[in-house]
Amino acid sequence: MLISDIMLILAGTAAALMAGLFYTFSVAVNRGLGRLGDREFVMTMQHINSEILNPFFYLGFFGAPLLLLLAAFMHSEGGGTSFVLLLVATVLYFTGVFGVTVAKNVPMNNKLAELTPETASEEEISGARMAFEKPWLRWNHIRTVASGLTVVLVFIVAVLS
């Protein structure tokens, strides 16, 4: 097994872990949270957004684009199909996952974190939820699709190799 094969496996694994995380939020976590009252929803999302910032999340979230770049570079000889697919996968992850997270989801998370649910009025809580829930989920769906397509492209390269 070549180092380029190992890099491809690591890149695919990191991207797949992130795809699984986003997929889980899209199809299960947010559906369950949607059944909560406004105050409970806000408090739960605040806890989730706080707890997700841990070394395991960072390893996958930041590791995937770096590993994808390295895998693309290692498959760049001759500029063949594998290189092109890995380059597309890398750009897709950087824009559809990393970019969306940094530009859209994180600012919404930060805005929600500013609210103190224990002392906020029902109107403030309800307004915060309305401003957060559907837009955040819509952007998460984009991350889900982008990361899922990234994994598919890595699988295709693995099959071609």
Side-chain angles (χ1 to χ4, degrees):
M1 183 174 285
L2 301 172
I3 188 77
S4 60
D5 295 329
I6 294 169
M7 194 58 57
L8 187 63
I9 291 168
L10 292 174
T13 300
L17 288 170
M18 296 313 300
L21 174 70
F22 299 133
Y23 179 78
T24 300
F25 268 89
S26 285
V27 303
V29 174
N30 282 83
R31 292 176 139 212
L33 293 175
R35 295 179 178 219
L36 297 175
D38 292 343
R39 192 171 304 275
E40 292 79 14
F41 173 88
V42 168
M43 291 174 71
T44 302
M45 278 306 300
Q46 286 177 332
H47 290 302
I48 289 171
N49 290 335
S50 173
E51 291 300 318
I52 201 164
L53 302 177
N54 66 68
F56 296 108
F57 173 79
Y58 292 137
L59 188 62
F61 184 71
F62 293 112
L66 296 175
L67 292 165
L68 286 163
L69 271 174
L70 287 170
F73 175 76
M74 290 180 171
H75 286 81
S76 65
E77 196 170 302
T81 303
S82 292
F83 170 68
V84 171
L85 291 175
L86 285 172
L87 195 59
V88 170
T90 303
V91 170
L92 188 57
Y93 188 93
F94 267 107
T95 57
V97 177
F98 194 84
V100 166
T101 300
V102 170
K104 298 297 182 178
N105 293 89
V106 169
M108 284 188 269
N109 293 348
N110 292 341
K111 178 84 172 151
L112 193 66
E114 294 172 2
L115 188 65
T116 306
E118 297 81 10
T119 59
S121 70
E122 290 300 322
E123 285 181 347
E124 290 172 312
I125 294 286
S126 177
R129 181 179 186 166
M130 287 187 73
F132 179 88
E133 186 174 21
K134 286 185 180 174
W136 190 95
L137 187 56
R138 185 173 32 254
W139 288 110
N140 188 69
H141 290 330
I142 291 169
R143 298 187 301 180
T144 302
V145 170
S147 57
L149 289 174
T150 298
V151 173
V152 168
L153 291 171
V154 173
F155 283 166
I156 292 169
V157 171
V159 169
L160 292 176
S161 295

